[in-house]
Amino acid sequence: MSDSVVLALDVGGTKLAVGLVDDTGRVLASRRAATPAASPERALTALIDDLIGDAVTVDAVGIGCGGPMSWPAGRVSPVNILAWRDFPLRDMLAERFSGRPVRLLNDAICLAIAEHWQGAGRGVRDLLGMVVSTGVGGGLVLGDRVVAGRTGNAGHIGHVVVDPEGPVCGCGGRGCLEAIARGPALVAWARERGWAGADGKELAESARVGDGVARAAFARAGRAVAVAVAGAATTLDLSLVVIGGGIAAAGDVLFAPLREELHARARLDFVRDLRVVPASLGEQAGLIGAAALVLAGERYWPVD
Ligand SMILES: [Zn+2]
């Protein structure tokens, strides 16, 4: 193993992942498990125990977790992890790994960081990274530096309103992008129209083989993402949007209607050449981005 080994955590509403990452951003080993409804902190501790055993020396800890959160204190209240409200996740790790840096940021911000550092966003100064999955999140890198915002929650594009009369959202609002484009919302929308499958993966498969309702569900999500992206790009003058997550993994059935709608919406010269691409680091992106919080200098950790 290399000189500096970071313990990286990627904590989401559907899955927990932990990994050991070296100082070049390579994931040396990792463990994954479903996020249990009760006491997810116990499952997380068990995964860490299994990963590091007694032999590994951890130099620092980087954590990506679903939002919202208080930051940099790292108390988390993820919309999709109901067991945690104002849960002291950073402190839990800081106690175990005392004396070492322990940093926590939003998981979608970590994806944006990972893609900027090692993936599809390398060499791009201004980008938005998005996750379209069980939830919809985002993170910004502007001028080659992560933008955390006043409370660490900048980039929450999932809760930008794309349809003022749209469905009620988990955040308490209405018509948010997440309420329309999150995986469970696509599945529910398709089932109401006669599609008989159970989850987002099956829905993507149905869309790929030409099922009309499934294709329409992804097209609807893609158009909603485009509306939010057009707004963000116009506000922030971006060059690139990188989209990861399970729903984005469906590929063209999402990206084709997304790009078409974006082209129709983003008409000013400086947004017309905006590129929207799939994330390139796959399921490791969350771990790589979390590790970058402690590995890649001030550009990915704007406080200290
Ligand atoms: Zn919302």
Side-chain angles (χ1 to χ4, degrees):
M1 280 191 187
S2 71
D3 296 337
S4 184
V5 175
V6 166
L7 173 64
L9 279 61
D10 181 12
V11 180
T14 304
K15 60 149 185 46
L16 308 170
V18 302
L20 293 171
V21 182
D22 75 9
D23 53 12
T24 67
R26 200 159 51 101
V27 179
L28 304 170
S30 63
R31 300 282 187 277
R32 277 160 210 283
T35 307
S39 304
E41 63 276 17
R42 248 182 269 153
L44 197 56
T45 299
L47 275 185
I48 294 169
D49 291 343
D50 185 38
L51 177 71
I52 65 177
D54 298 324
V56 177
T57 303
V58 169
D59 296 318
V61 182
I63 309 162
C65 182
M69 62 185 55
S70 69
W71 176 85
R75 301 180 74 90
V76 301
S77 309
V79 175
N80 295 312
I81 304 180
L82 298 172
W84 285 353
R85 287 296 171 266
D86 207 26
F87 180 79
L89 181 59
R90 199 206 76 92
D91 285 354
M92 184 180 102
L93 276 301
E95 202 166 293
R96 173 158 178 180
F97 297 97
S98 63
R100 284 155 280 185
V102 179
R103 295 173 175 174
L104 185 153
L105 251 179
N106 181 283
D107 57 350
I109 297 181
C110 288
L111 175 120
I113 288 172
E115 292 291 336
H116 183 259
W117 189 34
Q118 302 276 343
R122 274 171 99 146
V124 175
R125 273 175 50 93
D126 304 290
L127 68 79
L128 166 69
M130 289 182 70
V131 177
V132 183
S133 181
T134 311
V136 177
L140 292 161
V141 176
L142 300 178
D144 281 327
R145 296 178 73 91
V146 70
V147 176
R150 179 177 57 91
T151 64
N153 290 295
H156 258 74
I157 195 167
H159 300 279
V160 165
V161 174
V162 295
D163 179 359
E165 311 303 323
V168 170
C169 181
C171 73
R174 178 179 284 281
C176 297
L177 174 59
E178 177 166 295
I180 294 169
R182 68 192 291 259
L186 266 71
V187 168
W189 187 90
R191 287 178 61 87
E192 279 166 24
R193 285 155 185 83
W195 179 75
D199 60 24
K201 223 175 201 167
E202 285 180 38
L203 189 66
E205 194 45 47
S206 294
R208 260 195 297 272
V209 299
D211 180 279
V213 172
R215 291 186 77 90
F218 278 96
R220 177 170 173 267
R223 287 194 300 270
V225 172
V227 171
V229 162
T234 309
T235 307
L236 298 167
D237 198 359
L238 303 170
S239 334
L240 180 69
V241 179
V242 183
I243 308 180
I247 294 301
D252 274 353
V253 295
L254 181 81
F255 281 88
L258 192 169
R259 291 189 180 112
E260 192 178 319
E261 183 77 12
L262 182 63
H263 183 67
R265 300 260 177 197
R267 301 305 300 165
L268 293 169
D269 280 347
F270 70 94
V271 282
R272 251 186 239 171
D273 59 353
L274 177 68
R275 288 186 301 128
V276 180
V277 301
S280 67
L281 296 174
E283 64 175 7
Q284 303 284 45
L287 294 175
I288 294 168
L293 301 178
V294 290
L295 278 174
E298 286 178 3
R299 63 195 164 133
Y300 299 137
W301 187 254
V303 287
D304 241 347

